[in-house]
Amino acid sequence: MKKSTLLNSDVTYLVSTLGHTDEITICDAGLPIPDQVTRIDLALTHGVPSFIDTVRVILSETQIEGVVMAEEFARVSPELHQELLKELELEQARSGKTISTEYISHEEFKQQTQQSRAVVRTGECTPYANVIFQSGVVF
């Protein structure tokens, strides 16, 4: 049995095959997922798994160099947005690498998900709880 934090085989495969600048999206239960993008559906029920728990596990296994969020996230769901920023700060401290942050409109965000290698759907029901992670390198 796998010993590290990430146990889901689809997410493990995704993380292990990411290259520099590849993008993955972690989303709430309501974000539309483009047909041509791989869907990894973790949602079991409202709030399970949560967006922030999923983010923590992905960050524990993946080197991130950039983050894209919808502008609406900070305005409409400020508490969860702040939790995400705190996790990103912790990751920067752990890795010693800077993580750039970009805000775009929700409509632009939905368009950009089309470039993701996969979209990981959580059970989160907080509005705009979505993030695109851009993969970095560990060296």
Side-chain angles (χ1 to χ4, degrees):
M1 180 175 207
K2 191 172 184 307
K3 192 174 175 181
S4 66
T5 304
L6 183 55
L7 296 177
N8 181 283
S9 61
D10 293 330
V11 180
T12 297
Y13 177 79
L14 171 64
V15 168
S16 69
T17 59
L18 288 173
H20 188 216
T21 72
D22 282 346
E23 295 183 352
I24 61 173
T25 300
I26 312 300
C27 74
D28 61 25
L31 187 75
I33 299 172
D35 290 335
Q36 73 276 13
V37 177
T38 300
R39 171 195 292 251
I40 301 175
D41 198 337
L42 304 179
L44 296 173
T45 189
H46 293 268
V48 179
S50 72
F51 172 77
I52 205 68
D53 286 341
T54 305
V55 162
R56 284 183 187 122
V57 172
I58 298 290
L59 287 175
S60 77
E61 300 274 337
T62 311
Q63 183 65 51
I64 301 299
E65 71 176 22
V67 173
V68 179
M69 293 176 275
E71 299 160 340
E72 292 88 343
F73 188 19
R75 190 175 65 253
V76 176
S77 301
E79 289 176 14
L80 189 54
H81 175 258
Q82 283 302 313
E83 274 191 77
L84 175 58
L85 293 180
K86 189 183 314 180
E87 291 300 323
L88 295 173
E89 287 175 20
L90 290 170
E91 181 57 28
Q92 286 183 120
R94 277 191 295 270
S95 70
K97 295 185 177 246
T98 301
I99 300 173
S100 67
T101 303
E102 178 184 0
Y103 290 90
I104 58 179
S105 74
H106 187 60
E107 287 305 313
E108 291 172 300
F109 185 92
K110 289 189 287 187
Q111 291 298 313
Q112 189 161 339
T113 64
Q114 295 179 34
Q115 309 309 312
S116 286
R117 292 273 314 281
V119 175
V120 179
R121 181 175 175 254
T122 70
E124 187 66 53
C125 293
T126 302
Y128 302 102
N130 308 296
V131 64
I132 296 171
F133 287 146
Q134 298 167 330
S135 181
V137 293
V138 295
F139 52 88

